[in-house]
Amino acid sequence: MDTLKKRPVAILLALVIVVGSTLLSSGIKLKQACQTVTDGFYSGVTYGGYEHPSIQSQLKNVSSAALGLATLAANYTGVDASAVKSARNDLDSSLENGTPGEIYDRYTALLSGTAALITDLQAQPLSDRDASGVTQYESILTSASGVIDKSGYNDTVRGFLRDTYDAFPASFFAGLTGVSAPELFE
């Protein structure tokens, strides 16, 4: 115990406590800031003076439209909606526990599948009701994709990375504390 009473040991111990607490508090604050930016994916962001809807809500619209198209396709022989159903399940699953980058990959796969399914359905002799349904679902997909493209989420992430995360001292503390940057939806 006498070693703790020596001046050099006390100074060293104080330095360790100060550095440790600085790292801890900086890491916590940076992690909270990163989480706030990422939460914009789920809750929407305010960008350019306008409050944008969340990407997640628009992805749910895309998922619902894909389900509607797959349901319509079941009425016609020779139209296979299994790829759309699979891509939709993948998207829904990734919305529960995926990162924005992973969700983006599932979203683009679903859009590709729905585009092919719409083409296949339009080649069929559709009833008036089903033709109207295909048009409505296609409109929902186009509208939701447009809202996602203009959501401002990626701009918010890029701004945060440029102004905060990649700037000193946050970049220094991020490396030391292992705080990951918010992910882009691309």
Side-chain angles (χ1 to χ4, degrees):
M1 288 293 179
D2 289 334
T3 44
L4 292 178
K5 294 180 181 178
K6 294 182 181 177
R7 186 178 189 110
V9 173
I11 291 172
L12 182 62
L13 188 57
L15 280 174
V16 167
I17 290 172
V18 168
V19 169
S21 66
T22 301
L23 281 175
L24 182 64
S25 70
S26 297
I28 289 171
K29 287 178 184 179
L30 184 59
K31 185 174 183 170
Q32 288 172 339
C34 289
Q35 188 60 50
T36 299
V37 172
T38 301
D39 287 347
F41 179 85
Y42 301 99
S43 61
V45 298
T46 301
Y47 183 76
Y50 178 72
E51 194 167 319
H52 298 271
S54 73
I55 292 176
Q56 181 189 33
S57 67
Q58 297 307 307
L59 291 173
K60 288 182 179 184
N61 292 341
V62 167
S63 177
S64 294
L67 177 61
L69 286 168
T71 302
L72 278 176
N75 297 332
Y76 298 92
T77 10
V79 179
D80 183 17
S82 61
V84 168
K85 289 177 183 176
S86 176
R88 179 184 177 269
N89 288 339
D90 289 345
L91 175 64
D92 289 349
S93 173
S94 67
L95 281 172
E96 295 297 320
N97 54 20
T99 65
E102 294 167 345
I103 294 168
Y104 179 80
D105 292 340
R106 305 301 191 288
Y107 161 67
T108 55
L110 182 57
L111 284 185
S112 175
T114 56
L117 183 57
I118 288 169
T119 301
D120 290 348
L121 282 167
Q122 290 172 336
Q124 299 293 315
L126 298 174
S127 68
D128 289 343
R129 180 174 176 240
D130 288 350
S132 174
V134 169
T135 302
Q136 288 175 353
Y137 291 130
E138 185 176 24
S139 175
I140 291 169
L141 290 167
T142 302
S143 174
S145 294
V147 171
I148 288 170
D149 290 342
K150 296 175 185 172
S151 73
Y153 171 76
N154 283 339
D155 296 320
T156 302
V157 172
R158 284 186 186 98
F160 175 78
L161 293 174
R162 179 186 58 249
D163 299 339
T164 304
Y165 189 84
D166 292 336
F168 185 80
S171 61
F172 174 74
F173 288 118
L176 289 176
T177 58
V179 175
S180 299
E183 228 180 280
L184 294 164
F185 183 68
E186 58 180 33

